[in-house]
Amino acid sequence: MIHNTKCECGHQNPVGTLLCESCGKPLEDDGGEGPLEMKYDGMARRSQKANPGVIDRVWNFFSSVKVAIYLILITLLGSALGTIYPQENTFLNFDPSVYYEETYGLSGKIYYMLGLSHTFESWWFITLLFMIGTSLVVCSLDRVLPLYRALSKQQIRKHLRFITRQKVTYSGPIPGGSSAQAAEEWNKLAAKALAKSGYRVHTEGSALLAEKYRFSRWGPYINHIGLIIFLGAVLMRGIPGWHMDQHIGFPEGKLVKIPETSYYLKNEKFTLEYYTPEEMTEDFRAKGIDVPKVYETQAALFMCKADCDDPAKEPVLEEVHKQSIVVNKPLSYKGLLAYQFDFKPAPTLISVKPTLVNKETGESFGAFELSMDNPRELYTAGPYQLKLSAYFPEFAVDPKGLPMTKSRDPIMPAFVFTITGPGLAAGGEPYMYFPRQIDKVNFRQDEINGALGQKLELSVSSMDNVQISEYISYLNIRVDRAMPYIWVGAAISMIGLIMGFYWNHRRIWLRIDDGELSLGAHANKNWYGLRKEVSQVLGKTGIVIDPKALERKVEQT
């Protein structure tokens, strides 16, 4: 069906236009007397396009306010479900597949199996946020462009049907008669009164348009821009390196790489202080519980400058920051935060400085540092060279009698070297070394090394050459590069809300035909204030009328 959208004034309007873009006459005037639909001044929107294609149907879907509300409600429901039980990322060193069932029973197991234990990182939740953002963009463009065209091309002289079908309206003779001069004088008087009330006044012969607070119409769309930036920043947290919220253990004296960054952090010293019995309450004294008073990590932060991703080389590090970390006083450096979260007593061997000794002559060769975490491949002790052939952090023997390691933690470390030097075979001879004395005895180090063990021995001369971590300090490492954008989005959204809530767009149209005044006024809200203002302006021009009489009354049939 072809719709004729050409107005009697001669202007051709797009399909879907309700009010003529030029004179404002209702294009589908059914003879009714009810107030006009003034959304976007009756301008056509893309979502009203005739014979929509595939792209137009997608546009129409996302431009629907009803769809946007459904998406928001579904997202709120998903968020609520995600808060029934704690999320996985709030725990440290636990197996979620076991924890939820053991802690919360069958409901916890179902909760985990449905994937609700990581709701806010799930694909469906992120998709919902993306769809809400898309809906905000499309809804805004579908409405703001017609509104901009309508407000930027307003005609001063409007059709009588447009004026008389406004919610606030007045019709009647002007004081001074029906002459053109009387109309001109009254129009100037009305323009002056409106200008004093803060209106911007435009005149065209005996017609007048007064407008103020137009900027408030853009408030909702500025709010949408802020929300779009906010949602975009939330989604940007999924970009590698933009967001991190992890709990990492840092053994005392050990350098640990912070994942997904170029930073390394070293727990140089962990200090723990307990409350004395006199400082504790009676309840704690009765229970015999030791209560930590202060636990502090003296941390040094390093940045990798070279060989960062080469496992065959040691990274080149530069110290960039040093700070003591206590509860509620995190280490802070260029957006990276490290909060003191917890601690655990865990005596762990960090490194030893063994000396190579010739048992036959008693001669000692220089000590070298042997790291339990990342041992080097080659060491030199006097005329001897020790090449690392194998390393077993937690040494054990498998059922076939072959050496193996149970874990990567240096609980029972064992090293296998190939030693070359004077008096040894040309290709070198194997030597197995256990840093801990108890492991040397239990695994019979001297017997394993045979003849070489009778000649050479690796030994630690004193405990000063042994570095042990007494505690593991657990730090909450946080990086959130999207947070500044979240704050910017929230600020812009708040500006839009203030614009829309505290001001309202007001317009007054009037025309004088043969001494007969026709006035119509529209506001997007606060009609009581508008009709009072119109009554005051008319009163200054000699027309006294009660504000209540200005509001159109539509009789119910």
Side-chain angles (χ1 to χ4, degrees), residues 310-323:
D310 190 347
K313 297 181 181 179
E314 287 192 15
V316 179
L317 303 179
E318 177 185 340
E319 184 177 310
V320 293
H321 190 65
K322 183 176 285 189
Q323 183 180 332

Side-chain angles (χ1 to χ4, degrees), residues 389 416-419 428-432 448-449 452-453:
S389 302
V416 179
F417 296 102
T418 298
I419 303 180
E429 299 182 21
Y431 182 89
M432 193 165 195
I448 292 173
N449 292 323
L452 182 60

